[in-house]
Amino acid sequence: MRKIPFTSWVTIRKIVQGVFLLFFIFIVVSTQKDHELVWLTKLPIQLDPLLALSSSLAGRLLIKGFVISVIIFLFALLFGRSWCGWICPIGTILDIFHFSSTKKFDFPGSLRNGKYFTLGVIIISALLGFEMLIWLDPITIFQRFTITGVLPGLDWFITWFENVVYPIPFLSNAIDKVDIFLRPSILPLRPAQFANIGWIISIPIILILLNILAHRFWCRYLCPLGGMYAILSRFSIFQRQVDPNKCTRCSQCAQKCPTATINPDEKFRSDPAECTVCMQCIEACPFSANAFKLKLPEVLHFPYDPDRRKVFTGIGYGILGVVLLKIASQVKRNPIRPPGAVHANFLAQCIRCGACYKVCPTNAIQPATYDENGIGSPQLNPRIGYCDYSCSACGLVCPTQAIPPLQLEDKRQTVIGTAVIYTDKCLAWGQHQDCIVCEEMCPVPQKAIYFKEGTFLSRDGANIRVKLPFVDRERCIGCGICENKCPVIGEAAIRVDPLGTIGTS
């Protein structure tokens, strides 16, 4: 057998993958309220045609920034699923964690229909005005994981390391300079704290572990964006071709294919819908029988392709699942949403990308769990942070306008909830101690919290005069700073209700 000729295609692809991975990481790190970088922070989401389509359908509007995704759409018609093999950050991570020494399992080809089913559920739910499973889009998976898992983990490690080495005299100055460089340009001034993120962290870990079963299991069988690209790739004009005069049926290309789409029983042809244009077949072939060339699109049919009955059955199950989930979500209590994000189409337009988590200066915006109405959608947790009266960053970075880009003056007048005083826990009401923290912290110019003097009888029969706090519901905007700063241990004595209907004040 002749020596395998040197080719740089795979090396070039790996370099391109690395550059794009660093680019996506840089964008997540640079997410901030700086107006000059807002366009950059939205770019990865705007490049995703699945997010563009689902958000437009669900929100019943054409989002201006998503016009960029048309370029990627046309790119797929030219070069097939090259996004998956060259650009996608999740695909790159799966290539990095390639368990090559592990024995792979032989899955039935029909399992490849899984990504079409996932895609179908997303599209159907968008048509019904409900973004179901959109949190499985690979770009949103990557951003959420980086924002809530990687960066806080890196922050914790760096802080621990600084505390360990800072006492060393000749290193303290260097540590100070490094810390000034990192904060707040890369890491927050105070450590970010996210609740209910187990599912966010577990998704990419599960995708990596699925590589044990089959390389790029996620890309082959489950990825909804991959499903969209697969449909487009069937009509691509740049496809893999095999020269029958050079092919010796050695099967080297089939063994190297990361998506197992090269079929030795079909003259080693590959399904363009499954091919990620990784170029490994070219490098593997000792006789240069594989090549990617321009050709007129030829729609090929494979045994695992869904027939009409399967398609309509999948549509039916998708509609049923969306309807049941929407009904279930309507009985849940609404969480506190970011300013302006209380409109009817909020859950339909929100793609769970996590940009608002990162940009919130007080760490108030947290990912919701399913039980809290809309898995991964942003909600405010006032005990962790509050809605900064001088900040409107979340609306600026939201790529789908699920959180509207409010001017600061408009944002300051936007009501997101109402503070409610729980008198049994309040130091003034319950323990007859003077406490004016909530009133002092209230940022509203006319103060939404005011006092009335109350008189109580002590154990020894003496009268105790205490300032009792009350909430002016007409002025309260629900920013949550009173709940955040309340000195009561555990649940605060004053809490923000998104509907303004609980408790007494």
Side-chain angles (χ1 to χ4, degrees):
M1 181 178 292
R2 293 170 53 189
K3 182 180 179 181
I4 298 177
F6 172 80
T7 177
S8 60
W9 274 115
V10 173
T11 302
I12 292 173
R13 176 180 61 82
K14 290 180 179 180
I15 293 174
V16 172
Q17 283 183 298
V19 169
F20 272 104
L21 180 61
L22 293 176
F23 175 67
F24 285 123
I25 293 174
F26 168 76
I27 288 177
V28 172
V29 169
S30 65
T31 300
Q32 53 187 315
K33 59 182 178 181
D34 187 342
H35 291 257
E36 296 180 359
L37 291 177
V38 166
W39 68 271
L40 182 63
T41 60
K42 296 181 180 180
L43 186 59
I45 303 298
Q46 293 172 344
L47 290 175
D48 191 325
L50 175 58
L51 296 179
L53 178 61
S54 63
S55 297
S56 298
L57 292 176
R60 307 296 189 267
L61 77 164
L62 181 61
I63 300 171
K64 182 179 178 181
F66 278 118
V67 174
I68 302 174
S69 65
V70 175
I71 300 174
I72 305 299
F73 184 90
L74 297 175
F75 186 81
L77 291 177
L78 291 175
F79 300 103
R81 288 183 67 179
S82 51
W83 167 279
C84 305
W86 291 66
I87 301 175
C88 179
I90 293 296
T92 300
I93 292 173
L94 294 180
D95 282 344
I96 293 173
F97 292 94
H98 179 200
F99 304 102
S100 57
S101 61
T102 306
K103 182 180 179 181
K104 307 300 180 184
F105 295 84
D106 187 19
F107 293 95
S110 58
L111 193 60
R112 295 182 186 269
N113 293 326
K115 59 182 174 290
Y116 300 117
F117 177 79
T118 308
L119 173 64
V121 170
I122 291 175
I123 300 301
I124 292 170
S125 63
L127 287 170
L128 296 176
F130 190 68
E131 287 280 34
M132 180 179 174
L133 299 186
I134 195 62
W135 45 271
L136 285 177
D137 180 271
I139 298 297
T140 62
I141 289 175
F142 175 79
Q143 287 207 170
R144 286 193 310 268
F145 177 67
T146 306
I147 291 170
T148 64
V150 176
L151 289 180
L154 180 63
D155 190 4
W156 176 87
F157 176 78
I158 290 176
T159 302
W160 170 82
F161 182 77
E162 288 177 343
N163 290 333
V164 170
V165 301
Y166 194 82
I168 302 175
F170 65 90
L171 290 179
S172 58
N173 289 335
I175 293 298
D176 286 335
K177 292 179 180 179
V178 171
D179 199 69
I180 292 173
F181 169 76
L182 292 176
R183 307 174 194 277
S185 58
I186 297 177
L187 299 175
L189 290 174
R190 66 172 188 172
Q193 177 185 356
F194 293 100
N196 306 319
I197 62 169
W199 67 275
I200 294 178
I201 296 176
S202 64
I203 288 177
I205 293 175
I206 290 173
L207 301 188
I208 291 172
L209 293 177
L210 287 175
N211 261 7
I212 298 175
L213 304 179
H215 184 37
R216 287 214 175 202
F217 183 100
W218 160 254
C219 307
R220 296 188 200 184
Y221 306 119
L222 298 174
C223 179
L225 181 58
M228 172 174 277
Y229 282 129
I231 294 173
L232 299 176
S233 298
R234 291 185 179 275
F235 305 96
S236 64
I237 62 175
F238 185 74
Q239 297 184 5
R240 174 179 171 272
Q241 299 179 52
V242 180
D243 188 340
N245 298 320
K246 294 181 179 179
C247 180
T248 61
R249 302 183 63 85
C250 67
S251 296
Q252 292 293 322
C253 57
Q255 294 174 17
K256 287 289 185 178
C257 180
T259 58
T261 188
I262 299 177
N263 189 350
D265 298 329
E266 295 291 337
K267 299 180 181 180
F268 291 90
R269 72 175 182 174
S270 56
D271 184 354
E274 302 297 325
C275 176
T276 60
V277 199
C278 68
M279 303 294 182
Q280 290 192 196
C281 55
I282 295 179
E283 187 173 85
C285 182
F287 302 104
S288 302
N290 295 280
F292 283 85
K293 300 179 181 179
L294 297 177
K295 60 174 291 187
L296 292 176
E298 176 185 2
V299 181
L300 304 175
H301 296 282
F302 294 82
Y304 50 78
D305 287 342
D307 55 25
R308 185 178 303 176
R309 180 179 179 183
K310 291 180 180 179
V311 170
F312 283 106
T313 300
I315 292 175
Y317 281 125
I319 294 176
L320 178 63
V322 171
V323 171
L324 292 176
L325 187 57
K326 193 167 186 178
I327 292 174
S329 68
Q330 289 175 346
V331 302
K332 305 296 180 182
R333 176 178 175 269
N334 289 329
I336 308 169
R337 298 297 188 187
V342 293
H343 52 85
N345 288 335
F346 168 69
L347 284 179
Q349 290 179 233
C350 178
I351 57 175
R352 288 68 163 167
C353 65
C356 54
Y357 313 161
K358 172 69 167 58
V359 79
C360 182
T362 66
N363 202 199
I365 299 180
Q366 300 283 316
T369 63
Y370 166 72
D371 287 337
E372 291 162 327
N373 221 349
I375 184 169
S377 60
Q379 66 174 15
L380 270 69
N381 187 332
R383 215 53 176 145
I384 294 178
Y386 55 91
C387 185
D388 193 326
Y389 195 65
S390 300
C391 173
S392 59
C394 54
L396 295 178
V397 301
C398 180
T400 65
Q401 299 176 18
I403 305 174
L406 301 174
Q407 295 295 323
L408 185 57
E409 288 304 315
D410 294 330
K411 179 263 181 182
R412 287 175 171 174
Q413 299 177 32
T414 301
V415 178
I416 61 175
T418 305
V420 177
I421 297 174
Y422 288 76
T423 55
D424 59 328
K425 292 182 68 68
C426 179
L427 296 179
W429 281 96
Q431 300 182 33
H432 310 151
Q433 300 177 17
D434 279 329
C435 177
I436 61 173
V437 172
C438 53
E439 189 271 346
E440 283 186 325
M441 292 293 107
C442 181
V444 179
Q446 293 79 20
K447 294 292 183 180
I449 298 176
Y450 62 96
F451 295 107
K452 290 182 180 180
E453 195 172 74
T455 303
F456 298 91
L457 194 65
S458 67
R459 288 186 177 182
D460 58 7
N463 288 329
I464 302 175
R465 304 182 71 83
V466 182
K467 290 182 177 180
L468 302 176
F470 290 82
V471 176
D472 187 336
R473 294 179 182 271
E474 298 299 321
R475 295 178 178 177
C476 181
I477 59 174
C479 68
I481 191 171
C482 54
E483 180 176 346
N484 181 260
K485 301 299 183 180
C486 179
V488 174
I489 304 299
E491 283 191 320
I494 182 168
R495 305 171 214 164
V496 175
D497 169 34
L499 303 178
T501 57
I502 62 173
T504 60
S505 65

